[in-house]
Amino acid sequence: MIKNAPYRFSDFESIEITYGTPGEMLNTYNSKTRIYHYLTKDNQVLTDTLKMRDNDLLYLHRKAMELGFWNVDDDMTTARKDSTEGKQVPRYILKYTYKEKSKEVTLDADYAGTQKMKDAAKSTIDAVLTMIAEVKAR
């Protein structure tokens, strides 16, 4: 989507992701603190320490640039009539932090906005979650 991102890897500081259902955003990872909280299939929240290598972070920076993450809307949530509607719909909050600025996107899995924007945000989120799984498997 875009070749020259307004964010440079030399200014990169961290990636943070939080995900779950809107009432229970229990899964979190911060590349700066290296702390990963995640919900198991047994509904237990476990804490782990995961260190992403510089190459992992560079890959995620470039993937965000390639997919056009910098151009997506910050708020990609679906409007709800009340607090019970969409209670089980997954929500993702992804934040890339750089020295001078940051980009944070909130995405609901059922977001009905522009498909191209949704795909760019979801693909970036998927790349981060895949990288977390790879780092955890090491």
Side-chain angles (χ1 to χ4, degrees), residues 5 23 30 32 44-45 53 83 131:
N30 183 318
K32 191 172 198 169
Q44 293 180 321
V45 177
R53 299 175 185 155
S83 61
M131 185 60 69

Side-chain angles (χ1 to χ4, degrees), residues 90-135:
R91 175 171 286 173
Y92 304 90
I93 302 170
L94 178 60
K95 182 177 184 179
Y96 277 65
T97 304
Y98 295 81
K99 286 179 184 166
E100 303 283 326
K101 50 189 150 186
S102 63
K103 175 70 174 180
E104 182 175 325
V105 173
T106 304
L107 172 70
D108 282 345
D110 66 348
Y111 179 66
T114 309
Q115 189 62 40
K116 197 171 190 178
M117 293 278 202
K118 180 181 177 182
D119 290 345
K122 184 66 175 125
S123 296
T124 307
I125 289 165
D126 288 344
V128 171
L129 293 175
T130 300
M131 185 60 69
I132 289 170
E134 288 175 12
V135 170

